[in-house]
Amino acid sequence: MMSQLLLNFSVLMAKSTGISVYANNLLPAFQSLDPILFSVKPVLGFRAQKIPAGLSPDFGYRGHLKRLCWVQQDLSRQYHQTNDGLIFSPLPEAPLYSGCRYVVTAHDVIPLRFPQYFPFHLVSYFRHYVGQVMTQAEHIICNSVATAQDISRFFKVPTSKITPILLAYDLQHFQHSSYPVSNYFLYLGRQDTYKNLARLIAAFGQIYKRQGEIELWLVGPKDSRYTPALMGQIQSLGISHRVRFLDYVAYERLPELLGGAIALALPSLWEGFGLPVLEAMACGTPVITANISALPEVAGDAALLVDPYSVSEIADAMHSVVIDTQLRQQLREAGIERARQFSWEKTGQQTVEVLKRFM
């Protein structure tokens, strides 16, 4: 007899964030396992166990702390009411020192790789809580080989305990279309320092002097810790009229924004996966991204890979995409072909196969 699978989906947010997209797209694959789903909202076709409201990251640190308490106490109690259970969490959160068996997904350990960019409490949380979750887990799923290597390096977890399973994208939502290409480069994501926006802006400032009709659109929530400095940099470069902050953009609008861009520019210093790269390629949008972390695993040879620490390399890649229509077409075709290799169905099936080993 197989163990009872408990899905800890308490982290799901109202807005479409990376973890929410990941978790929701795995659900169809889990139906065959007849799990109990712990979520704020019931999902058709699942045995739902409603949880308290206010646990998701929508509610900031308070929501995070409430969720950790719920996981440690209530989820642990629900687990022990089953004869033989297995918890799956789509992020590294699980009941510690409770005798619960669980598998978690780890998306990155960026605060440990760049501790200088993060507050002490977050670095400590990753080092101690997440580290203990990894140690006690039956198994760890992660979203790339790069993340697997980080988990092994920072937490001393044996590689035999880690399975990389690449993420995917919504094939029905992100498709090559006939959106007219406009004059802007697009960035999608937060404004944290490791996202490398300062160098991207500096590179755009260089290329703007050569190609004055282009723009840079920064899509993602403004952040009082980072946005003012970025705005100051933009003003000092004299390009305020060519850089737009679009803040959060609804999921429904992303294909249109991607489809209309000259290219997606994501020269991040590190990514656990880099979902915008895959979504852009699916839309036929050329991609400029970093040649480190998981980004080459996602992009393959279908993007321009640059040293993210080199402003001149980023600028040269942007300039090439602007002036070389043949290059844009090559990247467009290669990106569409590359994106076809990814699907949530494949990701879900591979995840289920891992879980079955421990059920």
Side-chain angles (χ1 to χ4, degrees), residues 138-193:
E138 296 286 309
H139 201 74
I140 301 161
I141 295 169
C142 62
N143 50 10
S144 64
V145 172
T147 299
Q149 292 170 342
D150 271 0
I151 292 169
S152 182
R153 171 190 171 188
F154 287 104
F155 301 122
K156 310 304 179 187
V157 174
T159 55
S160 59
K161 192 178 172 179
I162 310 168
T163 300
I165 300 177
L166 295 176
L167 306 186
Y169 69 101
D170 186 340
L171 284 76
Q172 303 303 315
H173 192 61
F174 296 98
Q175 298 181 2
H176 178 47
S177 63
S178 56
Y179 290 117
V181 176
S182 190
N183 64 335
Y184 62 89
F185 285 92
L186 186 68
Y187 166 83
L188 290 176
R190 299 192 308 274
Q191 296 175 6
D192 300 62
T193 306

Side-chain angles (χ1 to χ4, degrees), residues 291-306:
N291 61 4
I292 56 177
S293 71
L295 293 164
E297 294 180 55
V298 180
D301 58 0
L304 294 181
L305 301 179
V306 298

Side-chain angles (χ1 to χ4, degrees), residues 36-40 42 46-52 70 78 81:
I36 299 173
L37 175 65
F38 292 86
S39 177
V40 172
F46 286 86
R47 288 188 289 157
Q49 183 69 47
K50 192 172 181 180
I51 65 174
W70 175 85
Q78 296 272 3
Q81 290 175 2

Side-chain angles (χ1 to χ4, degrees), residues 170-306:
D170 186 340
L171 284 76
Q172 303 303 315
H173 192 61
F174 296 98
Q175 298 181 2
H176 178 47
S177 63
S178 56
Y179 290 117
V181 176
S182 190
N183 64 335
Y184 62 89
F185 285 92
L186 186 68
Y187 166 83
L188 290 176
R190 299 192 308 274
Q191 296 175 6
D192 300 62
T193 306
Y194 77 91
K195 292 289 189 177
N196 210 26
L197 282 178
R199 289 189 181 89
L200 175 60
I201 290 167
F204 178 77
Q206 290 185 9
I207 183 180
Y208 170 72
K209 296 173 183 177
R210 303 181 233 172
Q211 298 287 333
E213 296 304 313
I214 58 173
E215 295 183 353
L216 175 62
W217 293 9
L218 307 176
V219 176
K222 291 182 180 178
D223 192 315
S224 59
R225 297 169 296 178
Y226 312 116
T227 307
L230 295 174
M231 287 182 167
Q233 178 190 10
I234 290 165
Q235 186 173 9
S236 68
L237 291 172
I239 54 175
S240 298
H241 60 303
R242 289 293 176 181
V243 181
R244 296 178 58 184
F245 287 85
L246 273 67
D247 213 326
Y248 175 81
V249 171
Y251 183 71
E252 292 71 24
R253 286 193 58 204
L254 290 181
E256 180 181 355
L257 278 174
L258 286 166
I262 300 170
L264 175 79
L266 191 82
S268 177
L269 299 181
W270 205 264
E271 293 289 337
F273 182 78
L275 199 55
V277 168
L278 183 54
E279 293 168 344
M281 291 192 301
C283 291
T285 302
V287 172
I288 299 168
T289 194
N291 61 4
I292 56 177
S293 71
L295 293 164
E297 294 180 55
V298 180
D301 58 0
L304 294 181
L305 301 179
V306 298

Side-chain angles (χ1 to χ4, degrees), residues 18-56:
I19 290 178
S20 294
V21 169
Y22 168 70
N24 282 322
N25 279 285
L26 290 185
L27 276 174
F30 290 145
Q31 280 190 304
S32 63
L33 302 179
D34 191 28
I36 299 173
L37 175 65
F38 292 86
S39 177
V40 172
K41 294 182 179 180
V43 177
L44 188 65
F46 286 86
R47 288 188 289 157
Q49 183 69 47
K50 192 172 181 180
I51 65 174
L55 302 185
S56 77

Side-chain angles (χ1 to χ4, degrees), residues 4 25 31 58 61 73 89 91 108 127 149 151 167 194 211 263 268 321 326 349 352:
Q4 175 62 64
N25 279 285
Q31 280 190 304
D58 292 300
Y61 287 122
Q73 298 172 7
S89 290
L91 77 170
D108 64 68
R127 182 170 290 127
Q149 292 170 342
I151 292 169
L167 306 186
Y194 77 91
Q211 298 287 333
S268 177
V321 170
Q326 184 176 358
Q349 289 173 347
V352 166

